[in-house]
């Protein structure tokens, strides 16, 4: 197995830190007086600087050092958080990201950013904290610090020399290394640092600044910080260089983690509680997860074959083994799918920055609201979902929300709202993007469709049908092309991507109140629990989570030779589709046909089949390019006997039945008129 490249490891960790920093900065814009957010931003910068220097990314370390120094003034109260500071800090964050990926190419771009940053926070170090009275003098304090690193510090990449360099930056210091805890040579663990350091230095910083040097190690290390009384004249220098002075009457304060005042328990490389527990998470390349899912899929197919063979056998021992294999494969499938599930909040976070940038570019006041961040979705779906959501959010901001003055004239709040929400809905995840803007202009859409030759002037279309033209390639109602939108190349790409993920897209709008776009996506694209049915001589599978109930088709409906009808279920009318007619199945129908009631979102429809064969784990295989345009089917699966069964696209069938229902209602209304 090849060893991961340390540079790639740093880049991945840096991306995570930069993403966290971006979210903190955006939060800080909303709550500029939140001290915890300021400290969190400083910690991210501090870690980036240390890691960059450790892995040889000197350009990153140098720039972040200046970035951190400027932000430290905010942390000390020497400068205040302002919209200008957040804007420049976000630019600095982007520059660090560029340096992480291509250091040589982007180095020169950092100077103007740092210049703007220093102009905002000020460069004079003698400025008193914002809101505090001026002090006439600065009192120097002598500190004595004694520390020893955790047992696993070297293994995790901590460089003690970098820590000592940071202490030197705080003031003139004397450093002494103690080897009293080093065991005999034959007992030394090369991965454990046995050296204890004692540092005495004079500085004007507070105790917190010293503790911050060890902020990522303090929970597991031995750390003692003792303030010493300053002496006048030469006595101060003597105390500093001798490294010996009596603690002041204030006493010494000790910072240590886990109740470990000494390190005897770790002298001989004994495992600590942290070492024994191990990490909370493990990074695994995405291609390995994909390969694992492929192997599990093959196992599920083999297990289905075994179950079919067992069903034709009277061997009880074989049946027991088959049941055990089925239980194990089912558990392995669930675990593997769980590994692939990722909280959608990892995707939502990046859109806060998008909305922030758009608000600055378009001069609009926008509040971005997100909910359902913990909703989980297959990582493959999330990876392909980023671009469609970007298009939808940009459209909501540019086309949906009015300018602040127009909103005020309409009696609305000057600040518009864009909401991004995710929620589980049966076998799907529903993601909605809504705004409280002016809504869609149906007349303008129709005029654009007529001018483009997409509809005739005398065609009777509902607002819902008119809205669908927005997804037509090249269609745009924008009066002018801007850097944000207006070229008509976004919404059709959104629809193609969502349909490629076996999802659906819905659009609703109310004039003057806003627009909502809802994306409905399957939880996974790999393996599902399916219900196998027979229609004529063909077998089909449908997602079990979409099934609400199964009933027999009433005798009164059997003789009706219609492609669509209504079923009365406990006083509720449910439209149903006869799949025999829809698929053109040959032969006579079964005398006792079944109706499977399925749902997609708020709508449901019944599917009439000849026979319900049973439930099975369904491995989803994509259709060939020749059959990819068949909207009724979302994929195929291999059955236990090696034959292929098509997987029904429930969302498409529900929409199909709903469309028939709406057209019938419109025809009835026209006849009555």
């Amino acid at each position: 197995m090849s060893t991961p490249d340390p540079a790639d490891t740093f880049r991945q960790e840096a991306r995570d830190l930069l993403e966290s920093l971006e979210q903190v900065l955006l939060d800080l814009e909303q709550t500029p007086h939140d001290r915890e957010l300021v400290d969190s931003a400083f910690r991210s910068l501090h870690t980036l600087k240390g890691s960059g220097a450790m892995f040889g990314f000197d350009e990153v370390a140098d720039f972040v050092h200046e970035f951190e120094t400027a932000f430290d003034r905010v942390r000390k109260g020497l400068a205040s958080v302002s919209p200008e500071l957040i804007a420049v800090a976000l630019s600095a964050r982007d520059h660090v990201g560029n340096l992480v990926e291509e250091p040589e190419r982007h180095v020169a771009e950092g100077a103007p950013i740092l210049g703007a940053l220093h102009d905002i926070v000020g460069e004079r170090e003698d400025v008193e904290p914002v809101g505090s009275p001026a002090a006439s003098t600065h009192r120097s304090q002598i500190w004595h610090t004694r520390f020893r690193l955790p047992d696993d510090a070297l293994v995790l990449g901590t460089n003690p020399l970098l820590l000592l360099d940071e202490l030197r930056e705080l003031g003139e210091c004397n450093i002494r290394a103690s080897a009293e805890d080093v065991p005999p040579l034959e007992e030394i663990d090369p991965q454990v640092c046995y050296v204890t350091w004692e540092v005495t230095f004079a500085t004007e910083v507070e105790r917190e600044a010293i503790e911050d040097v060890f902020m990522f190690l303090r929970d597991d290390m031995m750390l003692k910080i003792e303030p010493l009384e300053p002496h006048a004249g030469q006595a101060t220098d003597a105390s500093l260089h001798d490294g010996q002075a009596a603690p002041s009457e204030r006493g010494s304060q000790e910072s240590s983690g886990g109740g470990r005042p000494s390190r005897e328990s770790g002298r001989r490389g004994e495992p600590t509680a942290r070492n024994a527990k191990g990490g909370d998470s493990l990074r695994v390349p995405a291609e390995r997860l994909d390969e694992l899912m492929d192997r599990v899929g093959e196992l599920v197919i083999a297990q289905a074959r075994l179950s079919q063979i067992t069903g034709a056998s009277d061997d009880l021992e074989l049946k027991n083994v088959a049941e055990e294999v089925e239980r194990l494969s089912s558990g392995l499938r669930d675990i593997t799918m769980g590994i692939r599930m990722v909280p959608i909040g990892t995707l939502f976070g990046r859109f806060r920055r998008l909305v922030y940038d758009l608000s600055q570019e378009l001069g609009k006041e926008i509040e971005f609201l997100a909910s359902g961040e913990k909703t989980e979705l297959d990582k493959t779906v999330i990876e392909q979902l980023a671009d469609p959501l970007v298009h939808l959010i940009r459209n909501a901001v540019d086309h949906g929300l009015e300018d602040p003055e127009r909103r005020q004239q309409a009696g609305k709040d000057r600040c518009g709202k864009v909401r991004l929400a995710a929620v589980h809905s049966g076998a799907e995840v529903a993601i909605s993007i809504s705004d409280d803007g002016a809504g869609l202009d149906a007349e303008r859409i129709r005029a654009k469709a007529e001018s483009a030759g997409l509809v005739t002037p005398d065609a009777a279309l509902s607002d819902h049908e008119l809205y669908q033209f927005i997804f037509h390639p090249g269609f745009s109602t924008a009066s002018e092309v801007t850097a944000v939108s207006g070229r008509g190349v976004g919404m059709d790409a959104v629809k193609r991507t969502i349909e490629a993920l076996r999802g659906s897209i819905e659009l609703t709008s109310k004039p003057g109140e806003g627009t909502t776009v809802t994306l409905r996506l399957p939880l996974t694209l790999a393996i599902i629990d399916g219900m196998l049915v027979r229609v004529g001589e063909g077998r089909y599978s449908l997602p079990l989570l979409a099934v609400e109930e199964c009933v027999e088709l009433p005798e009164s409906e059997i003789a009706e030779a219609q492609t669509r009808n209504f079923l009365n279920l406990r006083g509720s009318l449910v439209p149903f589709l006869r799949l025999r007619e829809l698929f053109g199945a040959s032969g006579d129908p079964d005398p006792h046909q079944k109706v499977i009631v399925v749902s997609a979102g708020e709508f449901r429809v019944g599917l009439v089949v000849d026979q319900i064969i049973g439930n099975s784990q369904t491995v989803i295989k994509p259709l060939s390019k020749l059959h990819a345009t068949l909207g009724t089917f979302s994929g195929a699966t291999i059955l236990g006997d090696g034959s292929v069964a098509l997987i029904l696209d429930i969302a498409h069938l529900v929409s199909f039945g709903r469309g028939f229902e709406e057209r019938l209602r419109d025809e009835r209304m026209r006849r009555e008129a």
Side-chain angles (χ1 to χ4, degrees):
M1 181 180 297
S2 60
T3 304
D5 185 358
D8 291 339
T9 301
F10 166 73
R11 287 190 178 95
Q12 182 58 53
E13 293 180 353
R15 294 186 193 107
D16 294 341
L17 285 168
L18 289 172
E19 183 176 346
S20 174
L21 176 62
E22 181 176 273
Q23 300 306 312
V24 169
L25 291 174
L26 293 172
D27 288 336
L28 200 55
E29 185 198 24
Q30 304 297 324
T31 54
H33 302 293
D34 193 325
R35 171 74 184 188
E36 292 184 3
L37 291 176
V38 175
D39 291 340
S40 178
F42 184 81
R43 285 194 295 270
S44 296
L45 293 172
H46 192 78
T47 307
L48 269 172
K49 181 183 74 173
S51 299
M54 183 183 305
F55 286 95
F57 285 75
D58 296 332
E59 297 84 356
V60 173
D62 293 343
F63 181 86
V64 175
H65 173 71
E66 297 296 329
F67 189 1
E68 177 191 33
T69 301
F71 217 85
D72 189 39
R73 295 181 62 78
V74 179
R75 182 168 168 264
K76 293 176 179 178
L78 301 174
S80 59
V81 176
S82 64
E84 295 76 16
L85 174 63
I86 296 299
V88 177
L90 287 171
S91 298
R93 176 261 176 219
D94 294 341
H95 178 64
V96 175
N98 293 333
L99 288 178
V100 168
E101 303 300 334
E102 298 178 293
E104 300 82 3
R105 180 178 177 182
H106 299 281
V107 171
E109 301 170 6
I113 297 176
L114 290 178
L117 194 60
H118 286 298
D119 288 342
I120 293 174
V121 301
E123 296 181 350
R124 294 175 53 197
E125 292 298 332
D126 57 347
V127 178
E128 290 301 319
V130 174
S132 67
S136 59
T137 60
H138 291 279
R139 184 171 180 268
S140 179
Q141 171 72 55
I142 297 179
W143 296 92
H144 178 258
T145 302
R146 187 170 186 269
F147 69 91
R148 182 173 167 186
L149 300 179
D151 293 334
D152 58 354
L154 299 183
V155 177
L156 297 177
T158 301
N159 187 344
L161 299 181
L162 295 178
L163 299 177
L164 296 175
D165 288 341
E166 291 191 47
L167 291 176
R168 288 190 182 95
E169 294 178 1
L170 300 179
E172 183 183 358
C173 63
N174 176 63
I175 300 174
R176 185 173 70 88
S178 173
E180 60 183 15
D181 291 333
V182 178
L185 182 61
E186 62 274 9
E187 299 179 8
I188 287 181
D189 183 347
Q191 295 183 330
V192 176
C193 182
Y194 299 96
V195 178
T196 300
W197 279 273
E198 295 189 32
V199 183
T200 305
F201 53 92
T203 181
E204 297 175 359
V205 303
E206 299 295 332
R207 174 189 175 89
E208 288 76 10
I210 304 174
E211 292 178 341
D212 284 345
V213 174
F214 308 97
M215 65 173 62
F216 299 105
L217 299 167
R218 285 171 54 190
D219 290 342
D220 297 297
M221 71 181 296
M222 184 274 287
L223 174 63
K224 294 182 180 179
I225 303 175
E226 301 173 339
L228 307 180
E229 286 291 353
H231 299 275
Q234 298 296 326
T236 301
D237 295 334
S239 299
L240 177 63
H241 292 291
D242 291 344
Q244 303 291 333
S248 67
E249 293 181 358
R250 287 173 290 175
S252 64
Q253 299 180 1
E254 178 177 327
S255 175
S256 61
R260 296 169 57 192
S262 67
R263 293 300 300 264
E264 292 300 320
S265 62
R267 283 191 58 177
R268 305 181 186 277
E270 297 176 7
T272 63
R274 182 181 175 190
N275 290 337
K277 179 181 177 181
D280 292 332
S281 62
L282 178 66
R283 291 188 185 276
V284 179
E287 57 269 17
R288 293 189 181 180
L289 292 180
D290 295 336
E291 185 177 353
L292 175 61
M293 180 56 75
D294 291 340
R295 296 293 183 271
V296 172
E298 297 299 327
L299 175 62
V300 168
I301 294 174
Q303 179 269 319
R305 176 63 174 162
L306 176 61
S307 297
Q308 187 174 33
I309 295 174
T310 304
S313 173
D314 295 329
D315 191 333
L316 294 180
E317 185 174 354
L318 178 61
K319 291 181 181 293
N320 291 334
V321 172
E323 290 177 358
E324 182 69 9
V325 171
E326 182 177 1
R327 183 183 66 83
L328 293 174
S329 65
S330 177
L332 182 59
R333 178 207 64 173
D334 293 340
I335 292 174
T336 305
M337 290 177 60
I339 294 174
R340 291 168 56 96
M341 301 299 279
V342 179
I344 203 167
T346 59
L347 184 64
F348 279 13
R350 70 183 68 174
F351 298 127
R352 295 183 61 198
R353 176 66 184 280
L354 173 65
V355 173
Y356 173 85
D357 291 341
L358 289 174
S359 67
Q360 301 296 311
E361 181 178 351
L362 299 174
K364 295 182 178 181
E365 300 175 17
I366 306 171
E367 181 181 3
F368 179 70
L369 304 173
S371 61
E373 292 94 333
K374 294 184 179 180
T375 304
E376 292 187 334
L377 201 59
D378 191 289
K379 74 170 188 66
T380 305
V381 178
I382 286 184
E383 288 170 357
Q384 300 181 51
L385 199 55
D387 287 343
L389 288 179
V390 167
H391 283 300
L392 293 173
I393 292 175
R394 290 169 72 94
N395 277 349
V397 172
D398 191 22
H399 294 309
L401 297 180
E402 313 96 325
D403 295 332
E405 292 74 17
R406 290 182 56 193
R407 292 181 60 86
Q408 199 167 18
Q409 293 172 2
K412 296 182 178 180
D413 190 342
R414 288 178 58 89
C415 181
K417 292 181 174 60
V418 174
R419 292 181 173 84
L420 182 60
V423 64
H424 281 291
S425 178
E428 304 171 323
V429 169
I431 303 173
S432 63
I433 303 93
S434 60
D435 63 75
D436 64 346
L440 295 177
D441 188 338
E443 293 183 1
R444 189 172 183 180
I445 294 175
R446 184 182 185 104
K448 182 69 176 181
E450 290 179 359
S451 65
L454 301 176
V455 62
T456 59
D458 59 343
L461 297 176
S462 65
D463 286 349
H464 175 75
E465 291 172 320
L466 282 173
Y467 295 158
Q468 302 311 306
F469 287 116
I470 292 178
F471 301 106
H472 193 277
F475 191 93
S476 176
T477 59
S479 57
E480 61 180 8
V481 176
T482 67
V484 177
S485 60
R487 299 184 184 275
V489 294
M491 297 301 285
D492 64 306
V494 170
K495 186 175 183 181
R496 286 197 304 269
T497 302
I498 298 305
E499 290 178 347
L501 293 172
R502 303 200 323 273
S504 61
I505 182 168
E506 301 173 4
L507 191 150
T508 59
S509 182
K510 292 183 179 180
E513 296 183 17
T515 303
T516 299
V517 179
T518 302
L519 311 179
R520 300 190 180 277
L521 298 157
L523 290 174
T524 179
L525 302 178
I527 302 175
I528 60 172
D529 285 322
M531 174 179 287
L532 192 64
V533 300
R534 180 178 61 82
V535 179
E537 299 298 325
R539 288 180 291 180
Y540 304 89
S541 180
L542 59 156
L544 190 60
L545 285 176
V547 177
E548 290 193 355
E549 60 180 309
C550 302
V551 297
E552 282 199 17
L553 182 66
E555 293 184 3
S556 59
E557 300 289 343
I558 294 178
E560 297 290 335
Q562 301 179 17
T563 56
R564 195 214 48 30
N565 216 319
F566 285 97
L567 188 67
N568 189 338
L569 290 179
R570 297 175 295 279
S572 177
L573 292 179
V574 178
F576 64 83
L577 302 173
R578 301 174 186 270
L579 295 187
R580 289 186 61 88
E581 284 76 9
L582 189 63
F583 297 161
S586 59
D588 296 329
D590 281 24
H592 303 288
Q593 292 180 297
K594 306 296 187 294
V595 181
I596 303 173
V597 180
V598 296
S599 62
E602 301 177 356
F603 304 96
R604 57 180 183 165
V605 69
L607 305 177
V608 180
V609 302
D610 288 328
Q611 180 187 5
I612 299 176
I613 300 176
N615 301 338
S616 64
Q617 296 185 44
T618 301
V619 180
I620 301 174
K621 301 291 185 180
L623 295 174
S624 66
K625 293 182 180 180
L626 182 63
H627 303 90
T629 57
L630 296 176
T632 309
F633 308 108
S634 60
T637 186
I638 301 175
L639 302 179
D641 59 0
S643 61
V644 175
L646 294 173
I647 301 172
L648 300 180
D649 188 335
I650 300 301
H652 179 84
L653 291 173
V654 170
S655 177
F656 187 68
R658 180 185 172 194
F660 269 136
E661 181 182 354
E662 290 179 348
R663 281 191 288 273
L664 182 62
R665 184 178 62 249
D666 292 341
E667 291 176 4
R668 186 184 303 115
M669 293 176 62
R670 281 196 295 269
R671 286 196 300 267
E672 293 176 354

